[in-house]
Amino acid sequence: MKRIIISGGGTGGHIYPAITIYKEIAAMTDAEFLYIGTEKGLEATLVPKEGIPFKTLPVEGLNRNLSVRALVTLGKTLGSLVKANRIISEFKPDIVIGTGGYVCGPILLAAALRHVPTLIQEQNTIGGITNKILSRFVDVVAVGFEEAQKAFVKAKRIVYTGNPVRPEVLVDTREEGRSFFNLQNDEFAVLIAGGSRGARSINTAMIEVHKHFKDKKGIKLIHVTGTGEYERVLDALGIKDGQAYSETSVILPYLHEMPKALAAADLAVFRAGAVGLAELTVRGIPSILIPYPYAAEDHQTYNARALVSAGAARMIVDKMLQGNDLIGEIEYFMQNPAERARMSVAAKALGKPQAAHDIAQLALDIAK
């Protein structure tokens, strides 16, 4: 039986790929797993819910300015290396897999220095700082975008696998998705989502979009505001929770049935996080991307550009976004089915539905 450590932390963009890879390996072989995360990160909530044994390291992002806080962080990092080394000794993994975030540093470095096989999975076109450092030590870097290979010139081995997509995204047919949202055949379905907490700039622009398309036939706006933005959007539209704004608009704080919405959508308005883009491309959905401008090293802009240059998406810069821009883009796509079809083919060409399986197989191939 294989013994496998998986680590990834901080944001859902690191944690969801880790969980998807875990599930894929578990389906392929008998294995014992251990997940390494932090106490404060989102992984401390998500990972135990999946029933994966979970341990933490006291690690934080290094502050580049010399200060007392930076020295405390450095001390925690050194302490986490000692603890990571102890975990390696006790668990005796056959492979250690990292999907990004500061917590990956100590456990992957400890494993690599002890010649335990190691793999990192980089989701973005611009490699994260932890993964860039680790790439000099680990056995394999699996990249989600072809463009990301340039970030890892010192790596021993790079494999372009694409980003892992949760299996449920691939299950529903278009007919099932559209039936779930009660969509007619001739209705143009737009899925708008800015992440679990919501994207203020997108939601603000969408207020004008909802007003413009109110009760117009032939279009349905499925708008997932994020839990933190839901009440603000409802207030701006003059409605209360549970009230419908119009037959055209479906406004939700959160959507558990996102795979069904993806199956139903003709067009998506999204941020440009790697996980969301992987799901859009495997479903072949044309998109309008508004990258989050404060992402580390502006990686969302680079992610978006990869889709734009492939002809799979159009991009609006966050600070330039206005309601009229979105209205114009949506109307353009409604009126140009041939362009939609072309972009759908381009998006699907970028999609890697087998990515999770390929990464899992790669990990098993290099495991001791």
Side-chain angles (χ1 to χ4, degrees):
M1 181 185 283
K2 297 289 184 200
R3 298 170 70 80
I4 298 168
I5 288 178
I6 299 181
S7 181
T11 67
H14 296 313
I15 302 158
Y16 291 118
I19 291 171
T20 302
I21 293 165
Y22 148 75
K23 287 180 176 177
E24 192 67 34
I25 295 174
M28 291 166 70
T29 187
D30 283 338
E32 188 176 339
F33 293 90
L34 177 62
Y35 197 109
I36 305 299
T38 61
E39 282 183 8
K40 295 176 184 175
L42 189 59
E43 65 273 19
T45 304
L46 294 177
V47 173
K49 280 183 182 174
E50 296 289 339
I52 313 170
F54 182 71
K55 286 191 175 181
T56 63
L57 292 177
V59 67
E60 295 177 12
L62 286 173
N63 190 321
R64 291 169 191 177
N65 301 318
L66 188 60
S67 64
V68 173
R69 180 72 188 158
L71 293 173
V72 169
T73 300
L74 183 60
K76 283 186 175 182
T77 301
L78 294 173
S80 65
L81 264 171
V82 172
K83 187 174 178 183
N85 201 47
R86 195 183 315 130
I87 289 169
I88 298 288
S89 295
E90 291 170 357
F91 190 74
K92 298 180 174 61
D94 295 298
I95 184 166
V96 178
I97 301 165
T99 58
Y102 297 115
V103 71
C104 291
I107 195 73
L108 276 148
L109 188 57
L113 293 175
R114 292 179 59 169
H115 306 291
V116 175
T118 45
L119 177 150
I120 55 176
Q121 197 267 321
E122 172 58 57
Q123 297 90 35
N124 297 298
T125 50
I126 299 289
I129 189 161
T130 304
N131 280 355
K132 280 181 183 172
I133 294 167
L134 288 170
S135 68
R136 297 165 180 246
F137 301 93
V138 301
D139 295 297
V140 184
V141 180
V143 295
F145 286 88
E146 215 166 353
E147 293 86 343
Q149 295 178 79
K150 297 193 288 283
F152 298 106
V153 289
K154 301 284 178 71
K156 295 178 192 174
R157 183 183 171 199
I158 307 170
V159 180
Y160 168 45
T161 57
N163 281 316
V165 172
R166 52 199 169 133
E168 52 266 40
V169 168
L170 301 164
V171 171
D172 290 302
T173 64
R174 178 172 168 83
E175 290 71 27
E176 287 166 339
R178 291 180 76 84
S179 172
F180 182 85
F181 287 97
N182 199 24
L183 289 161
Q184 304 304 310
N185 289 336
D186 61 347
E187 279 187 300
F188 182 72
V190 187
L191 173 62
I192 306 100
S196 57
R197 285 175 295 187
R200 175 153 287 213
S201 58
I202 295 175
N203 287 330
T204 299
M206 278 303 300
I207 291 160
E208 294 304 313
V209 177
H210 286 295
K211 289 177 180 177
H212 177 82
F213 287 109
K214 186 174 185 180
D215 294 325
K216 287 192 178 174
K217 300 294 181 188
I219 182 169
K220 185 83 80 177
L221 303 168
I222 302 167
H223 180 193
V224 187
T225 64
T227 50
E229 284 274 289
Y230 181 61
E231 294 294 338
R232 186 179 76 86
V233 172
L234 295 191
D235 286 346
L237 291 171
I239 55 172
K240 290 183 167 55
D241 189 10
Q243 281 185 305
Y245 177 66
S246 81
E247 287 190 10
T248 307
S249 300
V250 178
I251 305 170
L252 305 160
Y254 186 79
L255 181 59
H256 292 286
E257 298 84 5
M258 185 59 82
K260 284 185 165 51
L262 289 163
D266 296 296
L267 176 69
V269 178
F270 267 41
R271 285 298 198 195
V275 172
L277 298 190
E279 294 183 349
L280 291 178
T281 55
V282 296
R283 296 281 347 184
I285 303 170
S287 53
I288 302 163
L289 302 176
I290 301 108
Y292 178 59
Y294 306 109
E297 298 183 70
D298 199 21
H299 67 253
Q300 285 206 8
T301 296
Y302 290 93
N303 291 351
R305 283 178 186 164
L307 267 70
V308 172
S309 64
R314 288 156 75 111
M315 181 172 79
I316 302 173
V317 175
D318 186 89
K319 67 181 179 183
M320 308 295 288
L321 179 65
Q322 301 289 332
N324 283 339
D325 298 323
L326 269 189
I327 291 164
E329 289 288 338
I330 290 167
E331 288 183 335
Y332 169 82
F333 279 103
M334 286 180 75
Q335 292 157 13
N336 289 275
E339 178 66 358
R340 281 203 322 268
R342 185 198 63 74
M343 289 177 73
S344 177
V345 170
K348 203 145 199 175
L350 292 174
K352 295 279 189 178
Q354 289 294 311
H357 180 272
D358 292 347
I359 295 164
Q361 189 61 60
L362 190 59
L364 294 173
D365 288 345
I366 67 167
K368 285 198 291 192

